[in-house]
């Protein structure tokens, strides 16, 4: 049952802790979406507690008794029981309890909640709910990433270039808003869906990025997150509110990057630089899918950041080799991207491309043309780029200083090892 909690899904993880981690990453968001549909966004915090409690119970029970026949249904039933007990303790005989009790009587394979012929998938529906215009956009992103995508506050902070304290504040404000004035979980109008579309696209973009290069300490690449982002983006592209050029370009970007996943790690799980990757491992079928979505995105007069990024990904993906990459085209596309969606990150990437064409000094001139904002100075991305360009330009001391700062702020050992190898070239 695509998009909903699948009670038959059985992972390949060998140990109960591995199984619980699998279901947390794969099913947590769907479980929250299903239960929230039953009791409303006012009780979102209780739904999250119920889902987390079910996963903790699984860790204990599955270690003792082994994997149940229908793990997804097991988690759903335990989470429902947790939620009902919490509602009874906290709310007495409220009308909401009757709906929650009815949810517990669902069959082992829960039925997909109906979204009145609108956004039919549970996760996608809840993404639109979390991206309600009643919430500030920053809170929308934090709420969706934390509640539905299972991101930790640290992961969200790194993705949004902010502090964990800021993430906590945004999340607290969103939950306070939900308790005081719950968001409408039934089908919004098509106009309301379209007004929320940019935020939904942003969440899917961040979800894919976390899969492609994870800030998780133990996993450099999390393919299941990439797959989930593509699945949801495909559903979005098939819906009247989401079938727009921006969504098509986002899907093109995802497919073109996902096509290279098999080549991005060595046999021990270490990350590989683009020039080190075996291009024979690139998925040509998925690259073609990306090209088809990119062509479809060219309809109309819209040109978004996703169009520019997808075009850059296509330049990399269809280049015969690293040496034969059309770096000037990529540099020009980053310049366009910076005009469409101004960000020092785009200038940083343009500097890297220019360095391949005109040399590291030219790249450094672009990189240092303006002072980076505080949020970027504290990121390993900036220092890694500056360190690499300084080193290539022969500025040994500056290169070492920036590289050491990048190593200190890198989110994982896999990224640190990649930076060390890059510095040694």
């Amino acid at each position: 049952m695509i998009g909903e909690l699948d009670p038959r899904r059985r992972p390949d993880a060998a140990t109960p802790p591995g199984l619980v981690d699998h279901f947390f990453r794969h099913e947590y968001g769907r479980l929250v979406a299903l239960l929230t549909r039953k009791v409303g966004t006012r009780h979102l915090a209780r739904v999250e507690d119920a889902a987390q409690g079910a996963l903790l119970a699984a860790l204990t029970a599955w270690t003792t008794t082994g994997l149940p026949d229908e793990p997804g249904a097991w988690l759903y039933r335990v989470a429902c029981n947790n939620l009902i007990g919490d509602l009874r303790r906290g709310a007495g005989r409220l009308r909401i309890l009757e709906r929650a009790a009815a949810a517990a009587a669902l069959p082992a394979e829960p039925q997909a909640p109906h979204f009145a012929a609108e956004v039919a998938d549970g996760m996608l529906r809840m993404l639109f709910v979390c991206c309600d215009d009643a919430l500030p956009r920053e809170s929308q992103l934090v709420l969706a990433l934390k509640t539905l995508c299972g991101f930790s506050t640290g992961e969200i902070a790194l993705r949004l270039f902010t502090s964990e304290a800021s993430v906590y504040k945004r999340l607290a404000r969103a939950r306070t808003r939900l308790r005081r004035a719950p968001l409408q979980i039934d089908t919004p109008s098509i106009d309301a869906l379209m007004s929320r579309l940019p935020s939904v696209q942003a969440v899917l973009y961040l979800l894919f990025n976390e899969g492609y290069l994870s800030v998780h300490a133990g996993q450099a690449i999390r393919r299941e997150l990439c797959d989930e982002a593509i699945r949801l983006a495909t559903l979005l592209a098939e819906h009247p509110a989401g079938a727009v050029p921006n969504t098509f370009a986002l899907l093109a970007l995802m497919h073109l990057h996902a096509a290279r996943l098999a080549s991005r790690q060595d046999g021990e799980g270490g990350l590989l630089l683009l020039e080190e990757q075996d291009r024979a491992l690139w998925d040509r079928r998925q690259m073609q899918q990306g090209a088809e979505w990119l062509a479809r995105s060219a309809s109309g007069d819209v040109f978004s950041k996703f169009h520019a990024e997808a075009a850059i990904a296509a330049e990399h993906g269809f280049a015969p080799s690293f040496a034969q990459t059309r770096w000037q085209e990529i540099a020009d596309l980053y310049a366009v991207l910076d005009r469409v969606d101004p960000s020092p990150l785009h200038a940083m990437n343009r500097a890297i491309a220019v360095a391949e064409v005109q040399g590291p000094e030219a790249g450094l001139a672009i990189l240092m043309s303006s002072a980076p904002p505080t949020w970027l100075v504290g990121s390993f991305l900036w220092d890694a780029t500056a360190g690499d360009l300084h080193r290539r330009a022969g500025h040994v001391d500056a290169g070492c200083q920036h590289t050491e700062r990048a190593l200190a702020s890198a989110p994982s050992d896999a990224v640190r090892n990649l930076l060390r190898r890059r510095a040694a070239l």
Side-chain angles (χ1 to χ4, degrees), residues 50 70-71 87 99 152 194 314 326 330 346 374-375 380 414 420:
E70 296 181 337
L87 287 169
R99 294 201 296 270
S152 68
M194 294 191 73
R326 301 195 302 175
I330 291 174
H346 305 327
T374 303
W375 59 262
F380 78 96
R420 289 191 184 100

Side-chain angles (χ1 to χ4, degrees), residues 136-149:
R137 190 166 189 271
E138 295 82 1
S139 294
Q140 294 173 15
L141 296 179
V142 168
L143 182 64
L145 291 172
K146 182 74 171 68
T147 302
L148 296 179
C149 302

Side-chain angles (χ1 to χ4, degrees), residues 42 259 287 319 360 371:
R42 181 188 297 274
M287 288 175 62

Side-chain angles (χ1 to χ4, degrees), residues 280-343:
L281 296 176
W282 292 3
D283 187 333
R284 297 295 165 180
R285 182 190 63 80
Q286 192 159 29
M287 288 175 62
Q288 184 59 38
Q289 283 182 288
E292 290 170 0
W293 281 113
L294 185 57
R296 190 173 173 185
S297 75
S299 59
D301 299 327
V302 175
F303 189 87
S304 67
K305 60 173 280 187
F306 300 134
H307 286 83
E309 290 194 35
I312 292 167
E315 287 290 343
H316 284 300
F318 290 103
S321 67
F322 184 83
Q324 293 172 284
T325 300
R326 301 195 302 175
W327 289 106
Q328 186 59 58
E329 292 287 336
I330 291 174
D332 292 343
L333 283 166
Y334 273 119
V336 173
L337 176 57
D338 201 30
R339 290 196 295 271
V340 174
D341 180 47
S343 169

Side-chain angles (χ1 to χ4, degrees), residues 2 30 67 306:
I2 296 175
R30 295 186 179 95
L67 185 67
F306 300 134

Side-chain angles (χ1 to χ4, degrees), residues 232-256:
L232 291 171
T234 303
L235 286 173
L236 186 62
E238 294 169 348
H239 187 273
V244 297
N246 290 18
T247 304
F248 304 153
L250 176 59
L251 261 173
L253 174 63
M254 290 179 178
H255 278 293
L256 289 166

Side-chain angles (χ1 to χ4, degrees), residues 23-41:
F23 277 103
F24 181 83
R25 293 298 178 187
H26 286 72
E27 308 291 5
Y28 176 79
R30 295 186 179 95
L31 189 59
V32 169
L34 283 168
L35 294 178
T36 304
R37 178 66 174 165
K38 299 299 179 186
V39 301
T41 59

Side-chain angles (χ1 to χ4, degrees), residues 363-388:
L364 273 172
I366 293 174
L367 189 68
M368 301 302 176
S369 61
S370 60
T374 303
W375 59 262
L376 184 55
V377 172
S379 166
F380 78 96
L381 295 170
W382 174 266
D383 278 312
T385 301
D388 182 57

